[in-house]
Amino acid sequence: MNILASYRYQMEDNKKGVGVYYLVIACVFAFFFIMTLLLDTLGDPVSGQLGGFDFATIIFLFVASLNSFKENFGMLLQNGISRKTLFYGRLLTSVSIAFVMAIIDKLLLLAFKALSSSTDGNLVCSSLFEQAYQFNNDQLSTHFISFLLSLLLYMTISSIGYFITILYYRLGKSGKIAVSVALPVGLFMVFPLLDYILTRGRISARISILIDTAFGLSTNRPGNAMITCLLLFILLSLISWLMIKRAAIKE
């Protein structure tokens, strides 16, 4: 198995997008930072918060994963790379990109916080995990925990996007339409209505409690979120592999 060739090809496919993404993030921060200083200099200071920019990383990884299967699948198989090698290369690529972006996000956050301190509190930067959990960022251990959370969450988001794009690849035209329409309508319209009529919302309440427990939000336990993300990553990766095994090459 030539896993290294598969890994390099899929990493190269993501390199440019990651670079452009962080250029945009830096420009957005620079804009708000300069505007805050300028308004303060003109005697009209305003306060603002640039929070959860790592949420933008989540959206980027999800969208990038949605576009990471069809072309790579056809190209690698036509060049003699097996499905198993492609899949292992994809796993390594997902973990590598998640690892690199978790480190960059942590370093950027620290840099943005340092620069924001010069605005006398008019511009405040925070991460998604600072907002979700009560972290004390002065401690080294919390930096490590937030890094692990980012890493596992980014891996999970990538696996969700990859799973969805393979599912759509395997489905026919009618199947794609059925999933695209039935899933959102069922989840956001039919289910809430039936739940309210039949159980007065008890099922939705229990789902909310389940999600809260799985991610340890109200109990401030990020370890719950780590375990949940890791299990989801493994489960979705296994399902994706089962779908790749029998996928045919499409033009």
Side-chain angles (χ1 to χ4, degrees):
M1 290 191 295
N2 195 354
I3 296 177
L4 186 58
S6 171
Y7 171 70
R8 282 178 173 172
Y9 182 83
Q10 296 184 69
M11 282 294 289
E12 193 66 31
D13 190 47
N14 287 276
K15 191 187 298 182
K16 186 176 179 180
V18 172
V20 171
Y21 165 73
Y22 280 115
L23 180 62
V24 172
I25 290 294
C27 289
V28 169
F29 174 79
F31 172 77
F32 282 102
F33 180 67
I34 293 171
M35 287 300 295
T36 303
L37 291 178
L38 184 62
L39 290 172
D40 189 37
T41 304
L42 294 174
D44 187 22
V46 293
S47 298
Q49 182 169 0
L50 196 60
F53 82 86
D54 37 4
F55 185 69
T57 302
I58 291 173
I59 295 174
F60 168 81
L61 284 170
F62 180 70
V63 174
S65 298
L66 290 177
N67 295 282
S68 62
F69 178 71
K70 184 177 180 180
E71 185 177 336
N72 291 342
F73 181 67
M75 179 64 72
L76 290 173
L77 259 62
Q78 287 173 2
N79 284 278
I81 302 294
S82 69
R83 287 171 169 77
K84 186 178 290 186
T85 304
L86 178 149
F87 177 68
Y88 286 152
R90 169 62 194 178
L91 285 182
L92 287 175
T93 301
S94 297
V95 174
S96 299
I97 292 176
F99 183 80
V100 170
M101 296 189 80
I103 289 178
I104 294 176
D105 283 358
K106 172 57 70 177
L107 294 176
L108 280 181
L109 180 64
L110 293 175
F112 290 168
K113 281 178 176 288
L115 288 171
S116 299
S117 64
S118 63
T119 65
D120 297 326
N122 290 328
L123 181 62
V124 177
C125 290
S126 63
S127 69
L128 176 68
F129 303 112
E130 286 176 283
Q131 297 172 2
Y133 304 100
Q134 297 176 6
F135 279 146
N136 180 358
N137 279 309
D138 294 331
Q139 297 179 1
L140 183 61
S141 60
T142 55
H143 286 299
F144 183 66
I145 291 172
S146 64
F147 165 75
L148 280 182
L149 271 171
S150 296
L151 171 63
L152 292 168
L153 182 58
Y154 294 170
M155 287 165 52
T156 304
I157 293 299
S158 292
S159 67
I160 292 172
Y162 199 60
F163 163 74
I164 291 174
T165 193
I166 299 172
L167 177 65
Y168 272 73
Y169 182 84
R170 292 291 307 271
L171 289 172
K173 188 175 180 179
S174 56
K176 292 176 184 175
I177 295 173
V179 171
S180 301
V181 175
L183 192 61
V185 170
L187 280 178
F188 300 111
M189 296 180 68
V190 177
F191 171 72
L193 181 62
L194 291 176
D195 182 37
Y196 179 77
I197 294 173
L198 298 176
T199 70
R200 295 298 178 189
R202 283 196 290 272
I203 295 177
S204 296
R206 289 184 179 179
I207 291 175
S208 296
I209 293 173
L210 178 65
I211 294 173
D212 180 72
T213 303
F215 288 90
L217 296 173
S218 59
T219 55
N220 199 35
R221 292 179 176 173
N224 290 17
M226 293 182 193
I227 295 171
T228 300
C229 286
L230 182 60
L231 292 176
L232 282 174
F233 175 75
I234 294 172
L235 177 64
L236 290 169
S237 296
L238 286 174
I239 297 174
S240 296
W241 163 240
L242 293 176
M243 290 192 294
I244 290 173
K245 281 177 70 176
R246 297 185 179 279
I249 299 177
K250 297 180 180 179
E251 296 296 333

